[in-house]
Amino acid sequence: MWLLALITLVVQLLKPAYQQFPRQCVTREVLASKECCPIWEGDGSACGARSGRGVCQDVVVSEEPNGPQFPFEGIDDRERWPLVFYNRTCRCLQNYMGYNCGECSFGYFGPNCGERRETIRRNVFQLSTAEKQRFIAYLNLAKNTVSQDYVIATGTYSEMNNGTNPLFRNVSVYDLFVWMHYYVSRHALLGGTSNIWMGVDFGHWAPAFLPWHRVFLLRWEHEIRKLTGDFSFTIPYWDWRDAQGCEVCTDNLVGSQSRLNPNLISPSSVFSSWKVICSRAPEYSLRGVLCDGREEGPLLRNPGNHDRNLADGLPTSAEVDFTLSLSQYDTGPMDRTANMSFRNTLEGFGNPRTGLGNSPKLGMHAALHVFMNGSMSSVQGSANDPIFILHHAFVDSIYEQWLRRHQPESSHYPQANAPIGHNSEYYMAPFLPLYRNIDYFLSSKEMGYEYSYLQNPGQRFVDDVVSYLEEARVLWPWLLGAAVLGALCSTAMAVCLAKVSKSMWRCRSRRQGSEKQPLIISTDTEGSSSSYRTLRP
């Protein structure tokens, strides 16, 4: 597997970065028609209709009322997503997924998406050395490979003159997800400079926080599999309960601190060369513009040197246990003030000891972001740091524990009056293909993945054995090579010793018969120097 990863990495990095996005959905014509139903190359039809993969149909959005937190209508491109851009998209059937129904739904594999398989997300510290190296290599590959499927919007629909002037830009596979996390959480632009509304977030501060990030991780995992061809890949998690510091901040994982500047990553880590995007929210707000995806400086991190007025430190096991004990998914206004709300407490705005909302100090998920004191501490730019992936995978596992413990009915997720973007039937911005919030308010097993520490002990033992065998399989070529090399060296040494012994025997025989020549060392008449000659058999 390590060899496959290395070959894939080299091939991808040497590949020229052509503009390979299927631009059927960002041309003037498509934006004018508002129909995003690309052709699936497998059969040459829109949405793979000829093969029964999907159909092109009208997008129907929920008309349920939103909460009062966003007092505007018709000023933000994310409202009633995706209708500002498209009112017709592909609706995929059976086990198919994707903007053209050319891919398999989460948990399905194979050419016809007929193979159901459950993958296991594991603790990053339980990965073998080879698996850790593969994870880091895949991250770096994604950072340095232009996405073949997607571009990012660098302007609002209004700035695009209602689609007649498309404003899009190429982006790497990794930065595509950085931009999506920025875009879902960015401030609303009300027109002109310094004219924004900060009290809105389509993926945070409300019920969709957990479903949205679940899809975000699933899509990220899916794109890595497509990029590398490694469909066994799964996102690892960092179990940060009771951690005394940033345990993953080592050079064989996400990078230690630079000795020259504690805000930077050690030059021994590949992440020291990474450049961030979408990290200057105040600047965008001042100028009244969107992040355009350009590089904005190095990745920053200084764990533990954070503002103690914002958060005490990393979450504890007791805080996780209390959060899991809360039986209501969300409560009251379903925002940061919600009391005794599992979602609000896990997100970090509810006190993880009392459950009271609008806590003066951040806890749980938010506390770790603050603790990292750098790129992670900005909501909009936090996905620049690869710790984001490890962190949110563990947050998702806590969400999964809660779902299994309380087994809520779908009606427990709010259908109406949640902050904008968070009602159950709302499509998640800015995902294409489309995903509804309510569809991810169910167990991860329904989506084909599991967390290793949530498995029953017997199954966990089996998976550990498989992991050890995988490690042995990876090391076996090296061990075999070492054994073969050792055998060759031993044979060569034996041959040399045999030749030396034979030669010495001959020389001894000659010396016994005649003393005319020295055997090895010849000394000149003055004894001032020595010369050597090759031994001959």
Side-chain angles (χ1 to χ4, degrees):
M1 188 61 70
W2 64 270
L3 183 59
L4 172 62
L6 180 61
I7 292 173
T8 303
L9 176 63
V10 172
V11 170
Q12 290 289 342
L13 290 179
L14 291 177
K15 186 191 298 182
Y18 296 123
Q19 298 184 7
Q20 297 170 322
F21 177 78
R23 297 188 179 276
Q24 299 97 318
C25 291
V26 296
T27 63
R28 292 184 179 88
E29 293 74 20
V30 170
L31 291 172
S33 71
K34 299 178 78 72
E35 179 176 292
C36 179
C37 294
I39 291 174
W40 178 54
E41 295 180 356
D43 65 6
S45 67
C47 310
R50 291 175 187 164
S51 301
R53 285 178 169 256
V55 294
C56 182
Q57 68 174 28
D58 294 343
V59 176
V60 179
V61 301
S62 172
E63 298 295 338
E64 294 291 341
N66 299 310
Q69 294 87 349
F70 186 66
F72 305 100
E73 185 175 348
I75 61 98
D76 193 295
D77 292 347
R78 298 166 295 182
E79 295 178 47
R80 308 177 79 226
W81 180 263
L83 292 187
V84 168
F85 290 97
Y86 311 108
N87 55 30
R88 285 176 63 81
T89 63
C90 290
R91 182 175 72 86
C92 301
L93 308 174
Q94 302 178 59
N95 303 329
Y96 301 111
M97 181 181 74
Y99 58 85
N100 62 356
C101 302
E103 300 168 0
C104 297
S105 297
F106 303 130
Y108 289 90
F109 300 85
N112 296 314
C113 304
E115 179 187 347
R116 176 73 173 176
R117 191 193 314 162
E118 184 177 274
T119 56
I120 309 298
R121 291 180 180 174
R122 296 161 53 209
N123 189 317
V124 69
F125 293 112
Q126 294 176 346
L127 301 182
S128 68
T129 299
E131 288 168 332
K132 290 176 184 175
Q133 292 173 344
R134 177 177 62 173
F135 175 58
I136 300 306
Y138 285 1
L139 284 169
N140 201 44
L141 175 61
K143 182 70 171 180
N144 289 283
T145 304
V146 171
S147 173
Q148 298 185 25
D149 293 334
Y150 296 98
V151 293
I152 61 174
T154 59
T156 64
Y157 193 69
S158 176
E159 290 173 323
M160 295 183 196
N161 196 22
N162 298 325
T164 61
N165 178 36
L167 297 173
F168 297 92
R169 177 185 175 87
N170 284 336
V171 70
S172 76
V173 173
Y174 188 94
D175 286 345
L176 169 68
F177 287 86
V178 176
W179 179 87
M180 284 198 291
H181 194 265
Y182 150 78
Y183 191 82
V184 76
S185 59
R186 68 174 176 82
H187 305 321
L189 305 179
L190 305 181
T193 59
S194 300
N195 189 17
I196 61 169
W197 182 262
M198 299 178 63
V200 63
D201 192 311
F202 284 71
H204 300 80
W205 310 344
F209 166 70
L210 292 166
W212 190 94
H213 284 83
R214 172 160 283 192
V215 171
F216 182 85
L217 291 180
L218 283 166
R219 286 296 315 180
W220 192 89
E221 194 172 60
H222 183 77
E223 291 301 314
I224 292 294
R225 290 171 177 172
K226 286 166 51 183
L227 174 65
T228 63
D230 180 2
F231 285 88
S232 67
F233 169 76
T234 56
I235 293 173
Y237 62 86
W238 172 29
D239 184 347
W240 33 248
R241 290 174 294 185
D242 304 316
Q244 297 304 302
C246 184
E247 298 169 342
V248 296
C249 294
T250 61
D251 287 337
N252 69 332
L253 285 174
V254 298
S256 61
Q257 285 179 287
S258 168
R259 295 182 179 180
L260 299 178
N261 185 340
N263 294 314
L264 299 178
I265 309 299
S266 164
S268 299
S269 168
V270 67
F271 300 112
S272 63
S273 65
W274 279 27
K275 298 296 186 292
V276 301
I277 67 169
C278 301
S279 65
R280 299 174 178 173
E283 177 184 324
Y284 312 142
S285 297
L286 181 65
R287 296 166 50 204
V289 300
L290 295 183
C291 161
D292 62 7
R294 298 181 189 274
E295 294 180 348
E296 297 174 339
L299 180 63
L300 301 176
R301 189 195 305 144
N302 193 340
N305 294 309
H306 60 286
D307 186 347
R308 303 285 170 159
N309 292 319
L310 290 177
D312 289 327
L314 296 174
T316 67
S317 295
E319 291 171 341
V320 172
D321 291 342
F322 174 83
T323 302
L324 285 167
S325 73
L326 298 172
S327 60
Q328 297 184 78
Y329 180 73
D330 223 336
T331 61
M334 297 171 282
D335 57 19
R336 285 173 288 185
T337 67
N339 293 321
M340 309 307 290
S341 157
F342 165 73
R343 186 277 314 163
N344 196 39
T345 305
L346 178 55
E347 189 169 0
F349 302 107
N351 188 306
R353 297 178 183 86
T354 66
L356 297 180
N358 215 17
S359 175
K361 285 192 176 183
L362 299 174
M364 296 298 287
H365 150 266
L368 190 134
H369 279 274
V370 173
F371 178 87
M372 290 304 160
N373 190 32
S375 300
M376 273 278 282
S377 60
S378 162
V379 175
Q380 296 181 10
S382 58
N384 277 292
D385 193 327
I387 288 179
F388 181 99
I389 300 294
L390 302 174
H391 170 43
H392 271 273
F394 191 63
V395 171
D396 184 72
S397 78
I398 297 174
Y399 174 40
E400 182 61 23
Q401 285 191 72
W402 186 87
L403 288 169
R404 296 185 191 183
R405 178 181 299 188
H406 298 281
Q407 299 185 350
E409 299 290 337
S410 60
S411 59
H412 287 204
Y413 190 98
Q415 184 175 357
N417 299 314
I420 188 170
H422 294 263
N423 286 340
S424 62
E425 302 296 321
Y426 220 102
Y427 289 117
M428 302 177 183
F431 290 112
L432 285 169
L434 301 175
Y435 303 98
R436 296 187 310 164
N437 293 323
I438 190 61
D439 293 335
Y440 295 87
F441 186 66
L442 74 169
S443 174
S444 66
K445 285 182 166 293
E446 299 295 324
M447 286 151 267
Y449 73 98
E450 168 70 296
Y451 287 96
S452 59
Y453 80 103
L454 299 183
Q455 293 178 291
N456 64 64
Q459 185 60 49
R460 195 182 315 167
F461 173 78
V462 171
D463 288 338
D464 286 344
V465 171
V466 171
S467 176
Y468 293 142
L469 291 175
E470 173 66 14
E471 174 81 348
R473 188 185 69 80
V474 171
L475 292 176
W476 174 246
W478 293 96
L479 296 174
L480 180 61
V484 171
L485 182 60
L488 291 175
C489 289
S490 297
T491 302
M493 184 176 294
V495 171
C496 289
L497 289 173
K499 290 183 178 181
V500 170
S501 298
K502 184 177 181 181
S503 178
M504 292 181 67
W505 180 82
R506 287 180 177 176
C507 289
R508 187 179 299 111
S509 298
R510 291 171 183 167
R511 186 171 185 177
Q512 290 174 352
S514 173
E515 297 289 335
K516 292 182 180 180
Q517 298 182 12
L519 294 178
I520 300 176
I521 301 175
S522 174
T523 304
D524 65 6
T525 56
E526 298 180 356
S528 61
S529 65
S530 298
S531 63
Y532 295 82
R533 63 190 177 97
T534 305
L535 289 172
R536 298 179 185 278

